[in-house]
Amino acid sequence: MTNNEITVNDYSSTRLSRARLTLKVDGPYFPMVKFQKLLESFSIILTEIDQEISDTGEVGVEWAITEVQQGSIIMTAEANILDEQVETERPQRIINVFRDSLEELIKEKPQRPLYFNNKALYNLKKFSELIDPNDFADIEFSTENWRFYVTKNIAANVDEITQNFYSIYGSIEGQLVSINIANRQKMGIRSLTDNKIIKCFFPEELFEQAREALGKRVYVFGLIRQYLHGEKINIQVQEMKVFPEKSAASSLSNIINSIRG
């Protein structure tokens, strides 16, 4: 152990995945309140990503500080799988999503990163807002083969991403063309209005109904997420109905006509 390195946990455990993320802060002054905010946001983002990529929506990884270096503030967090049922690659997937999301948010025209919900984005924005030449001059994240410096423009890009859409309760009609239960339970409905497939997240209790409706025309109602001046992005389904097939509808029409005479 070198003089400028402190080992917090010096034991080996099968639960540690060796997936590691290092946080480094450089600057002339280190207010404790700002550092607390930084750590809190860091923890929230990793937890939100963990839940988003989980099949169950539950946290499967705990992050522990395993190394602290003196001088600048340098801390390494290492993943600790909480349950033997959690897939072993989950920690590395979290790191990959974290890395790719940071890279996306410094682009000239950033898009919403995959598996990055609003809570994660707002906490990532805090990193950018904490940068100040008088104290936290540089904030850096790194792995063995990747290094990233947080920039001020991340805050503006997060604002652009989170403010260009809105949510509203409404309905969608179309053909149910796909069902996927990986990561999150969802189905694809080809809209009758624009012929585009809309991603529909639905609760477990609607699975059997959705399975039986595959290939049929359906109606779904729920919370629609939509671009401010554009297409629908997805819908959190609360209710689903299956329209009768054309032959059944035709028979019903004949019955009504016969009653009318």
Side-chain angles (χ1 to χ4, degrees):
M1 184 171 64
T2 60
N3 291 332
N4 67 338
E5 184 178 304
I6 303 170
T7 301
V8 177
N9 287 323
D10 198 21
Y11 61 87
S12 61
S13 169
T14 56
R15 297 169 65 196
L16 292 177
S17 70
R18 309 306 298 176
R20 311 175 80 193
L21 261 174
T22 297
L23 163 64
K24 179 181 178 181
V25 182
D26 266 329
Y29 183 63
F30 301 108
M32 187 176 293
V33 172
K34 289 190 71 170
F35 186 64
Q36 183 179 3
K37 290 180 180 178
L38 185 69
L39 283 183
E40 182 180 13
S41 291
F42 188 28
S43 176
I44 288 173
I45 290 171
L46 294 179
T47 299
E48 291 299 312
I49 295 174
D50 189 2
Q51 291 177 304
E52 286 290 322
I53 67 176
S54 168
D55 291 339
T56 63
E58 296 179 355
V59 174
V61 174
E62 179 181 68
W63 295 83
I65 302 300
T66 57
E67 184 179 303
V68 179
Q69 297 181 37
Q70 296 175 352
S72 303
I73 299 178
I74 305 175
M75 302 176 61
T76 297
E78 190 163 331
N80 182 359
I81 295 175
L82 293 175
D83 190 286
E84 61 182 10
Q85 295 181 348
V86 175
E87 61 274 21
T88 56
E89 67 272 14
R90 174 93 69 88
Q92 189 57 49
R93 286 188 66 196
I94 294 172
I95 290 177
N96 292 345
V97 171
F98 182 79
R99 177 198 64 204
D100 295 345
S101 299
L102 289 176
E103 297 289 352
E104 176 63 43
L105 287 168
I106 60 171
K107 292 181 179 178
E108 184 177 351
K109 294 183 178 180
Q111 301 292 321
R112 174 178 288 271
L114 187 63
Y115 301 120
F116 233 74
N117 58 27
N118 278 358
K119 188 174 182 180
L121 281 171
Y122 292 145
N123 278 277
L124 185 58
K125 178 183 175 181
K126 291 180 183 178
F127 294 155
S128 183
E129 294 173 335
L130 287 172
I131 296 176
D132 188 323
N134 296 315
D135 41 61
F136 284 20
D138 291 301
I139 299 174
E140 172 194 320
F141 294 98
S142 64
T143 63
E144 290 182 356
N145 54 8
W146 170 77
R147 190 173 304 277
F148 182 91
Y149 289 93
V150 177
T151 61
K152 278 286 190 181
N153 69 320
I154 286 179
N157 288 348
V158 167
D159 285 341
E160 180 181 339
I161 289 173
T162 55
Q163 292 177 10
N164 65 358
F165 68 89
Y166 65 97
S167 296
I168 186 172
Y169 282 96
S171 62
I172 295 172
E173 290 184 22
Q175 183 185 22
L176 202 166
V177 296
S178 67
I179 297 176
N180 191 329
I181 59 174
N183 295 325
R184 290 182 67 181
Q185 197 162 260
K186 56 185 177 289
M187 55 188 172
I189 294 180
R190 187 179 298 279
S191 171
L192 295 177
T193 57
D194 54 16
N195 201 37
K196 292 184 178 180
I197 296 177
I198 300 172
K199 186 184 297 183
C200 308
F201 298 104
F202 64 98
E204 186 176 351
E205 56 265 27
L206 291 180
F207 175 75
E208 285 300 324
Q209 186 181 7
R211 186 172 64 84
E212 293 177 2
L214 189 61
K216 299 178 181 178
R217 183 179 165 218
V218 299
Y219 159 97
V220 293
F221 174 84
L223 187 62
I224 297 174
R225 186 161 166 259
Q226 183 170 344
Y227 287 110
L228 191 59
H229 302 292
E231 62 191 37
K232 296 177 177 66
I233 304 168
N234 58 49
I235 178 172
Q236 299 284 344
V237 178
Q238 297 180 358
E239 178 186 354
M240 181 171 70
K241 294 181 180 179
V242 183
F243 287 101
E245 297 186 20
K246 289 184 178 179
S247 58
S250 177
S251 299
L252 181 61
S253 176
N254 292 337
I255 293 172
I256 294 174
N257 288 334
S258 65
I259 293 174
R260 288 175 176 171

